[in-house]
Amino acid sequence: MTLVSHPAGAPNAKAAHILVVDDDQRIRTLLSRYLTKEGYLVSAAADTSEASVRLRDFAFDLIVLDGMMPGETGAAFAARLRRSAEPLRSAPILMLTALTETADRVEGLEAGVDDYLAKPFDPRELSLRIASILRRARRAEPAGPRRFGDFVFDPSRGELLRAGAPVRLTTRERDLLRTLAEGDGALLSRQTLAQRDPDRSASERSVDVEIARLRRKIETDPNAPRYLQTVRGHGYRLLVEPLPSNR
């Protein structure tokens, strides 16, 4: 399976771009297909040498890294990235490995990986861990305001304006809108939205209700949404236009 990397400015370049590094072709293919369905851009590499080439050409939002590969191990590769210049030094890394010994997990964490998931794993847990890492990375660099139609939403302040006038949001609506806006038009699954707050899980059905309520506030016709769109069978996305943060 050949995956095409998209440089900045290419179609769908606003979606988070993930690099999957695993010597097992079957796992690379399964992960690539699954993460693509989750709304991410995905590239793949069979070993750390190929990954290094990819990283010279593209800036990835997250690296999903196998721990045990022929040649350089995942932990050694992660440690090498952490000794590199930016942006590689701070590139988020999720390590996947069949090793379950505490010493092996500690080695990966000491090498600088952001999270650790043992094989075999539930794809839903993988999605949640990826979403959590990306949220932490985005919080480290506050997102600027986003525009959609007559609305401007500032994720860092949680403030929604319509033609300059504030729009009242509940806490849950504000949190949902922030997650969608920071996705920059990327497709977010109902499960990802349900689990967006690690301290308060929600059902996927409750996400549908929250989406319907939010649409009544931001759409001229909630039954034919222009901005907060449904991708049937997959999830939701908010079509936004980034604005300068110092506007």
Side-chain angles (χ1 to χ4, degrees), residues 54-206:
R54 299 268 185 163
L55 288 164
R56 284 199 296 267
D57 296 329
F58 297 93
F60 292 92
D61 298 288
L62 176 72
I63 301 170
V64 177
L65 179 65
D66 183 28
M68 293 298 294
M69 290 179 287
E72 187 177 36
T73 66
F77 181 62
R80 178 158 63 86
L81 292 184
R82 295 300 180 242
R83 295 191 300 269
S84 303
E86 295 293 358
L88 296 182
R89 180 182 300 169
S90 57
I93 300 173
L94 172 62
M95 181 174 284
L96 304 178
T97 179
L99 299 176
T100 57
E101 294 295 328
T102 300
D104 296 313
R105 294 198 299 272
V106 170
E107 180 186 13
L109 294 172
E110 288 181 339
V113 304
D114 295 84
D115 203 352
Y116 199 106
L117 188 59
K119 299 176 182 177
F121 54 85
D122 186 326
R124 293 173 297 177
E125 182 178 4
L126 175 67
S127 290
L128 294 178
R129 288 177 182 256
I130 287 176
S132 177
I133 292 173
L134 291 175
R135 279 197 302 270
R136 293 199 299 269
R138 286 167 182 157
R139 282 199 295 267
E141 297 181 4
R146 267 65 169 168
R147 180 197 298 277
F148 49 101
D150 294 333
F151 295 90
V152 173
F153 180 68
D154 187 338
S156 63
R157 300 176 60 184
E159 180 182 65
L160 178 65
L161 302 177
R162 181 176 188 179
V167 177
R168 186 176 180 277
L169 297 172
T170 66
T171 300
R172 294 291 292 175
E173 289 168 348
R174 182 179 297 109
D175 182 48
L176 176 61
L177 185 56
R178 179 182 291 113
T179 301
L180 289 163
E182 290 180 342
D184 281 332
L187 170 63
L188 298 178
S189 69
R190 295 164 75 236
Q191 183 182 27
T192 296
L193 293 173
Q195 301 292 335
R196 64 186 183 272
D197 183 352
D199 298 322
R200 185 185 185 279
S201 298
S203 68
E204 294 184 11
R205 174 56 186 159
S206 70

